[in-house]
Amino acid sequence: MSNMFSRIAMTNSIVLLLFSLTFLEHGLLFQRVSSLGINYGQVGDNLPPPDKVLQLLSSLHINKTRIYDTNPRVLTSFANSNIELFVTVENEMLPSLVDPQQALQWVTTRIKPYFPATKIGGIAVGNELYTDDDSSLIGYLMPAMMSIHGALVQTGLDKYIQVSTPNSLSVLQESYPPSAGCFRPEVAGVMTQLLGFLRNTNSPFWINAYPYFAYKDSPTKIPLDYVLFNPNPGMVDPYTKYRYDNMLYAQVDAVIFAMARLGFKDIEVGVSETGWPSKGDGDEVGATVANAAVYNKNILRRQLQNEGTPLRPNLSFDVYLFALFNEDLKPGPTSERNYGLYQPDETMTYNVGLLSSSSLTSTSTTSSTSIISLTSSASTALKKGKQRLMYWTCVYLLAIHMLIRRSY
């Protein structure tokens, strides 16, 4: 009898191992990518309510999102969810928040009532305060950041909520090759203060990086495959000899080199925005559904691998895709209203391979122009996985049956 139980135990072990391998093979479809977030902009008059947005993000297994304000409806709707919010102090509020008392009131009314039920992990103080066109608010940045951080300390929230600011690539004087990265002289003083603050508070330096803009401006000089993360010869930095197979990583490393030139080599860098428009005006070269799908799909694949840049190969970094929805009220060229992975009615603009839980039981209707569909292949893989599980279940039961018969 003991021999029979030994055989059963061995069979159990083998079958459990096979079950584990089958799940491991297909588990990639459902894992949360901890380093991937998405920007949830709300500049539209036809967007779904926040509770619907929460359902969508949850079904896509996205656990980080960034909003551009502290909208109470969003903060309330996202309570008791697994999604971490990165909220924003609007640019026009910075002058008033230089005052520590105003900053304390802001934290007390905009953050504290919702935390910790709503997982607020970061506060972006402004957004792209320095651009090529306007730098009038940059002087308010550090006083406002220090006041807000001080308010977090007073309310006991500084251990949980980081304070930083997203920067445009305009802060760089040079970005090519990456090893030549340096800040513009007119912002170097502010950047030194910012980097000191980030080091002291263990917060990341955020950059909004769009390889699309570089390609649009020089489509005959910059290879499309290089900006889309497609296979390509890449470029080699002549000084470091690092090879770059995509522009985004080169831009991130240019920022790291720029920080190092100011004496800061240990600060984490994250990408607070990156994306590709699916539609544009006549002069917006490359703004197509096909390119947008490929760019964002390849970003997703890289984030699944948790890889770093050539300069920091063993250090993965957070990336927030821009954006969740097409936003019809955004000003500017057509591209500005067409960065969304989804239309306002929650249908996909194109498929980048984010498998919605609901798609396991029903087939979603997508745009007829969508050319990338990882969901169909994922569903096929899932079906095969279920078939294998059924097969090995039968093998298991048959083995148990044969062992019991032999024991008698």
Side-chain angles (χ1 to χ4, degrees), residues 88-361:
T88 303
V89 177
E90 298 93 323
N91 287 358
E92 60 271 18
M93 294 188 65
L94 262 66
S96 63
L97 295 182
V98 167
D99 180 354
Q101 289 303 314
Q102 292 292 325
L104 179 60
Q105 182 180 5
W106 186 88
V107 168
T108 303
T109 58
R110 303 290 189 98
I111 303 296
K112 192 175 180 180
Y114 305 98
F115 185 90
T118 301
K119 294 173 63 176
I120 301 172
I123 298 173
V125 180
N127 183 56
E128 296 189 350
L129 289 177
Y130 180 87
T131 66
D132 290 329
D133 302 322
D134 182 19
S135 58
S136 60
L137 291 174
I138 194 76
Y140 297 107
L141 176 61
M142 289 314 304
M145 288 183 69
M146 288 188 287
S147 291
I148 291 171
H149 177 70
L152 291 174
V153 172
Q154 283 185 258
T155 52
L157 300 180
D158 59 302
K159 303 178 186 66
Y160 313 102
I161 301 175
Q162 295 178 322
V163 176
S164 188
T165 185
N167 300 274
S168 77
L169 279 177
S170 298
V171 298
L172 295 183
Q173 178 76 21
E174 300 288 345
S175 61
Y176 180 85
S179 61
C182 61
F183 290 110
R184 290 182 180 273
E186 58 266 38
V187 299
V190 174
M191 287 298 143
T192 300
Q193 296 177 53
L194 172 61
L195 294 170
F197 172 87
L198 297 178
R199 174 186 281 172
N200 292 336
T201 59
N202 194 30
S203 299
F205 185 94
W206 290 105
I207 191 79
N208 294 346
Y210 288 88
Y212 163 72
F213 292 138
Y215 176 76
K216 177 181 72 71
D217 292 340
S218 302
T220 60
K221 296 180 180 179
I222 299 176
L224 181 60
D225 285 334
Y226 177 64
V227 291
L228 291 180
F229 288 82
N230 281 335
N232 68 94
M235 61 81 71
V236 176
D237 188 303
Y239 302 102
T240 63
K241 306 305 179 185
Y242 291 140
R243 179 182 173 275
Y244 292 85
D245 66 355
N246 69 86
M247 181 176 283
L248 180 65
Y249 286 12
Q251 292 174 333
V252 171
D253 277 357
V255 171
I256 296 173
F257 274 107
M259 294 192 302
R261 280 189 164 81
L262 294 181
F264 299 89
K265 299 181 179 180
D266 55 349
I267 294 175
E268 177 187 351
V269 174
V271 177
S272 40
E273 287 183 18
T274 191
W276 197 285
S278 59
K279 186 179 180 181
D281 295 321
D283 61 345
E284 296 187 289
V285 180
T288 67
V289 168
N291 288 340
V294 171
Y295 182 80
N296 287 305
K297 178 191 70 175
N298 285 334
I299 287 280
L300 173 61
R301 286 178 171 171
R302 294 296 182 107
Q303 291 304 104
L304 282 168
Q305 296 168 12
N306 285 319
E307 67 180 16
T309 66
L311 183 58
R312 293 178 174 176
N314 299 317
L315 185 63
S316 62
F317 58 98
D318 284 351
V319 173
Y320 282 76
L321 293 179
F322 187 87
L324 185 57
F325 296 111
N326 285 337
E327 300 168 66
D328 66 337
L329 297 183
K330 291 198 73 173
T334 298
S335 62
E336 287 295 315
R337 294 176 288 282
N338 288 278
Y339 274 90
L341 302 184
Y342 282 81
Q343 302 289 349
D345 63 0
E346 299 183 60
T347 59
M348 287 185 290
T349 307
Y350 45 83
N351 189 350
V352 297
L354 288 170
L355 181 64
S356 170
S357 300
S358 60
S359 68
L360 299 178
T361 54

